[in-house]
Amino acid sequence: MRECSRLSRRAALGLTAAALPLSVAAPASAATVIGGERLARTGVQVRGAGGLPKKLTARSWLVADCETGEVLASFNAHRRLAPASTLKMLFADTVLKKFERTERYKVTDADLADIPAGSSLVGVKPGITYSVEQLWQGVFLRSGNDAVHVLAHMNGGVAKTVAEMQAKAEDLQALDTHVVSPDGFDHKGQLSSAYDLTLFARHGLKNADFRGYCGTRTADFPAGGKKTFQIQNTDRLLTGAWGLGTYDGLIGVKNGYTSHAGNTFTGAATRGGRTLLVTVMHPTEGSNAVYEQTAALLDWGFGQGRSAQAVGTLVEPLSEGGASASASPTSQGKAARAAAGAPGSASSSGHPSSWRLLEGGAGTVALLGAGAWALRRRMVRAKAARAEATAEAQTERETETETGTEPESGGRHRR
């Protein structure tokens, strides 16, 4: 009975595990195979080239060719981390094309009412009319959450914009990203990865307005009436601020900082007709380290990285003909299906797919069948052991009768 009780508990635990969606039963890293199996691995991934910068303290980084999409080297590419204002690249990917840059909008108090306390601001004021171009300059140059929220309200509200950003991330196959707010501010559960941020930058740079805004160093911003004040881009590799030199060939893209996320940066630069993308997330040092490590990785990519063989790829958006990882017949695609809603994964709605339920049922049947077999085997063994013990005891009694040996106290017999 004790064996049967233990088996029942195991069977119950097995039944529970089999019924769980994969997103619960499997580690989060199951969603990190987009772009290639090697990008799912921890640690540095590089092939065919040496000389990577030695002093890289970021928790995650990635170097990719912007044109071909080849990932030349990476470190924890799919590690999910707080993105800070680099998430504004996804905001731009989602909203930028919706409004003409010459369109004008008069800001209200309601447009600014839901900005998180402690946000970076460009200085948007209610009652002042801004062009869409000026608002985007506020987003890209000063990382202004006030400009983000005005554009989000123009787009139908923050909640609608967040939902559209999440849908855009899924279209881009940026499956490490979870959007909570459009501005990238610290919110519980707001996450992305070096891989996803690089996808956002690559997609955005295809748009001339995106490319123009992220590469603008200074602009005049309305202060009310005919007055303006100058705003400067906070990208230090672009402007050479805070003791850094400008990076030769830099064309953008976006930096970010919060006390929780630390420093994040995605940069793009062109040399000799080749454009590279580098994302660096959360160096252990503050201040200039995120820019210095980005510059070092760009230098490597334009130098020794030319001989690097791809360790992965930046996938294309589904809406632009990109192959869904869930439909790929390759082994890489089979691995990616766990992240893309294929058999064995949760659906995009967050609920188990019908395949998952079937798998769970099959797993349950198999588990219970195995449990029944184990129980029968234990019962047979127990029965055989009892029979053997009975026979042995009978033999001992017969022997004791023949030799005249008496049983010891406790009923055990000396042999």
Side-chain angles (χ1 to χ4, degrees), residues 3-47:
E3 290 289 347
C4 184
S5 297
R6 282 198 293 271
L7 181 61
S8 297
R9 286 194 295 272
R10 289 175 187 148
L13 289 171
L15 178 60
T16 301
L20 284 174
L22 187 63
S23 59
V24 176
S29 60
T32 64
V33 293
I34 299 298
E37 182 273 333
R38 286 194 65 160
L39 300 186
R41 302 179 190 175
T42 58
V44 174
Q45 303 301 318
V46 66
R47 278 199 310 159

Side-chain angles (χ1 to χ4, degrees), residues 273-295:
R274 187 187 194 196
T275 299
L276 296 181
L277 291 163
V278 169
T279 295
V280 172
M281 300 186 76
H282 302 208
T284 56
E285 308 94 333
S287 190
N288 284 336
V290 73
Y291 302 102
E292 292 168 344
Q293 293 179 32
T294 297

Side-chain angles (χ1 to χ4, degrees), residues 128-164:
I128 297 179
T129 298
Y130 300 85
S131 70
V132 166
E133 178 180 18
Q134 289 166 338
L135 291 171
W136 281 115
Q137 287 172 342
V139 171
F140 276 94
L141 274 67
R142 298 303 303 174
S143 206
N145 287 3
D146 46 359
V148 169
H149 280 253
V150 171
L151 287 163
H153 281 280
M154 290 174 65
N155 187 50
V158 169
K160 178 176 181 288
T161 301
V162 166
E164 290 180 354

